[in-house]
Amino acid sequence: MRTDLHQHLLPEPLIGALARRSTVPRVAGIGATLRLELAGEPDSALQEGDHDPVARAAEAEREGIDRIVVSLSTALGIEALPADEARPLVDAFNQGILELGGPFELWGTALTADDVDALLDAGARGITLPALALVDGRAETLLDRLEERGAPLFVHPGPATERSGDEAPGRGRGGDVPSWWPAMTDYVAQMSAAWHAWAAFGRARHPRLRVVFAMLAGLAPLHAERLAARGGPAEAIHDPLVWFDSSSYGARTLDSMLRLVGVDRLVHGSDRPVIAAAEPSLFGDAVEYALTTVNPQRALGVEVLA
């Protein structure tokens, strides 16, 4: 079964709930002016059709993708809201994706350990957490429950650092924050910190937990030589229960990762509809089969005959 382990889709109930909010994160505007407003980064347009499950499923069929595992983008910052604000948004997302059926499956968003059980019982494949939750230890009870249940974790960048006034990049030079800034600074730094925290502390506490890091963990494994020189756990790049999704990178970077961590550690993640997806067949049929079929199955806990 060919799998895309990293897509985003805002179901209609979540868009409606976000549109009723007066503060970020929220959806504002109508029709062609519909936009997503988040703390710490410029507004982004919600393009018509980007979150249409029928169109997304048809796109997957054309590309030969049999399973799409959908995550709430933790960059929205929903999990960091007060519980009474977060709960209806989280429930709207989880239920909205579960109701779609195939080819869509769910990386659930959990606020409590009991949520982990409820989501897995309802059919979620695993749970998504923002990257810095692995750094500050705020989600240990969720990780304990996830490991007990034998389900995987998906690690995704959380909200960009909120800046205002003269502290924002470019403000002091008379410019606005570039739209690409959070993706190239905050997101990369968060993912690198998450992988290093997992290598230093997380794996020892959770020896059986399977973990998938979005966007090649911010390229943290490519710094293994520097990590070794500083006395760090560089051998963690070969952790057999960790995978790195290919989202947002192309041939040269994927080639470097393949050479460093091996083909068994990479999985296909497109990050749709955020960016154009990298072609998983860049390195031939055998690598494509590993990234889209064998490795995702193993990351999800389903062995296949390779």
Side-chain angles (χ1 to χ4, degrees):
M1 177 174 284
R2 298 181 80 247
T3 299
D4 184 342
L5 273 184
H6 178 184
Q7 287 199 21
H8 302 296
L9 193 154
L10 301 181
E12 287 186 6
L14 178 58
I15 292 176
L18 288 168
R20 291 189 290 273
R21 289 180 55 82
S22 59
T23 58
V24 295
R26 69 173 191 148
V27 168
I30 56 173
T33 68
L34 204 64
R35 63 190 184 277
L36 186 62
E37 297 181 353
L38 305 178
E41 56 184 283
D43 298 348
S44 58
L46 283 180
Q47 301 291 342
E48 184 177 0
D50 273 356
H51 298 276
D52 179 352
V54 175
R56 190 77 64 84
E59 182 179 51
E61 184 175 6
R62 289 193 299 272
E63 295 181 354
I65 295 295
D66 306 298
R67 174 195 288 131
I68 300 169
V69 193
V70 179
S71 167
L72 178 66
S73 175
T74 52
L76 272 64
I78 288 174
E79 299 94 333
L81 294 171
D84 61 335
E85 296 183 42
R87 175 57 65 186
L89 301 176
V90 164
D91 290 348
F93 170 74
N94 289 328
Q95 193 60 36
I97 300 302
L98 286 170
E99 289 176 353
L100 291 177
F104 301 102
E105 297 185 8
L106 175 67
W107 288 114
T109 297
L111 301 179
T112 68
D114 288 343
D115 287 348
V116 174
D117 285 330
L119 287 165
L120 295 179
D121 290 345
R125 280 292 180 176
I127 299 297
T128 303
L129 283 176
L132 294 186
L134 270 64
V135 179
D136 59 26
R138 80 184 85 147
E140 284 300 326
T141 57
L142 275 67
L143 296 181
D144 289 341
R145 189 65 59 84
L146 198 59
E147 186 175 28
E148 290 171 6
R149 294 291 303 266
L153 169 68
F154 181 53
V155 184
H156 188 277
T161 303
E162 186 170 7
R163 300 178 178 89
S164 60
D166 293 337
E167 295 179 355
R171 300 289 191 196
R173 295 179 294 281
D176 292 326
V177 180
S179 60
W180 49 261
W181 187 273
M184 297 306 300
T185 56
D186 292 89
Y187 294 176
V188 172
Q190 289 179 33
M191 292 304 297
S192 178
W195 181 83
H196 282 96
W198 184 254
F201 314 113
R203 175 54 74 204
R205 173 157 182 173
H206 303 283
R208 300 180 306 279
L209 185 60
R210 300 187 307 282
V211 185
V212 179
F213 286 89
M215 47 180 285
L216 300 177
L219 304 187
L222 295 184
H223 295 271
E225 291 171 321
R226 179 174 174 84
L227 179 59
R230 296 300 179 111
E235 70 282 355
I237 63 173
H238 301 300
D239 185 336
L241 296 181
V242 165
W243 290 265
F244 307 95
D245 97 26
S246 59
S247 59
S248 77
Y249 289 99
R252 286 179 291 184
T253 307
L254 289 174
D255 181 63
S256 296
M257 284 289 289
L258 283 166
R259 292 172 184 273
L260 183 67
V261 304
V263 69
D264 292 343
R265 302 274 63 79
L266 300 188
V267 294
H268 173 55
S270 70
D271 202 17
R272 283 193 169 98
V274 179
I275 55 175
E279 175 51 57
S281 62
L282 289 169
F283 301 98
D285 292 344
V287 173
E288 178 184 13
Y289 184 64
L291 268 62
T292 62
T293 304
V294 178
N295 298 347
Q297 291 280 84
R298 289 176 174 160
L300 295 173
V302 181
E303 287 289 347
V304 296
L305 295 176

